Amino acid sequence: MPVRHLYLARHAEPGDDGRLTERGVQQAELLGRRLSKVPFGSVQHGPLPRATETAQLVARQLGSQVPVVELEAAGDYVPHVPSPDEVDPEHRAGVMAFLADVSSAEAAQGAELAAEAIRLLTGPEQGDGDSHHLVVTHAFTVGWLVRHACGAPPWRWLGLDNGHAALTVLRYSTDRPPTMVVFNDMSHLPDELRLTGHTW
């Protein structure tokens, strides 16, 4: 049965201007080298410069003409703002404080993009053979898709932090639940280029 392999990478380290730092360029190039043997059918990325630059640098290492496409659903947004009752009591205060500044408009847009990300990126492959797809995105979006794959409550995208240029791989088959192959893997980066990725 065909299997969809979804590779999720958080963008590399950005500077204050939103573009990659020298360290970020190194991180992206090393991520690309690690993925250079994977037969990707597509590389998709969020619209912000840090994701776009990371995807372009990774794609240069792939050694083939893999299409590189911008995807709004791979952008930087808050995917779900829970009501207080959704959150476990011991974590409620911290979660609600972290999300207190998210406006209703931002919450609505984030929910729409989050649903689109699930629709476009997850689920079993519909073709005849296995597929491999890379998405260069942001920590919140990685957390949202991992949470979905694990069947966790919607608010649990919080706390699934990723380092810059870290790799997560999800696998979707028709005959079994989604599988998390690796999460926040930075083994392609030397110690001095690894970050904790703490986002909240």
Side-chain angles (χ1 to χ4, degrees), residues 10-153:
R10 187 185 178 193
H11 60 81
E13 180 185 85
D16 293 339
D17 62 355
R19 309 195 77 83
L20 296 189
T21 63
E22 183 177 339
R23 284 165 49 89
V25 170
Q26 291 177 314
Q27 290 170 336
E29 290 176 342
L30 289 168
L31 174 62
R33 289 176 199 167
R34 175 177 180 178
L35 297 173
S36 63
K37 302 302 183 184
V38 179
F40 286 113
S42 68
V43 175
Q44 300 176 84
H45 62 85
L48 294 179
R50 56 189 182 269
T52 301
E53 290 181 32
T54 301
Q56 291 170 343
L57 288 167
V58 169
R60 289 177 194 167
Q61 303 292 324
L62 299 183
S64 62
Q65 297 301 313
V66 181
V68 180
V69 180
E70 182 178 299
L71 178 67
E72 189 177 7
D76 191 14
Y77 53 86
V78 174
H80 176 71
V81 178
S83 67
D85 290 343
E86 289 181 64
V87 184
D88 293 343
E90 62 266 37
H91 307 301
R92 188 172 295 155
V95 167
M96 301 315 295
F98 178 73
L99 298 172
D101 293 334
V102 179
S103 70
S104 58
E106 289 170 332
Q109 181 184 36
E112 182 178 337
L113 291 170
E116 186 76 348
I118 289 173
R119 185 182 73 80
L120 293 174
L121 301 174
T122 71
E125 183 55 54
Q126 300 302 311
D128 295 330
D130 291 0
S131 66
H132 300 262
H133 303 282
L134 172 62
V135 180
V136 178
T137 183
H138 302 263
F140 290 176
T141 310
V142 175
W144 175 250
L145 292 170
V146 168
R147 182 257 4 132
H148 177 263
C150 294

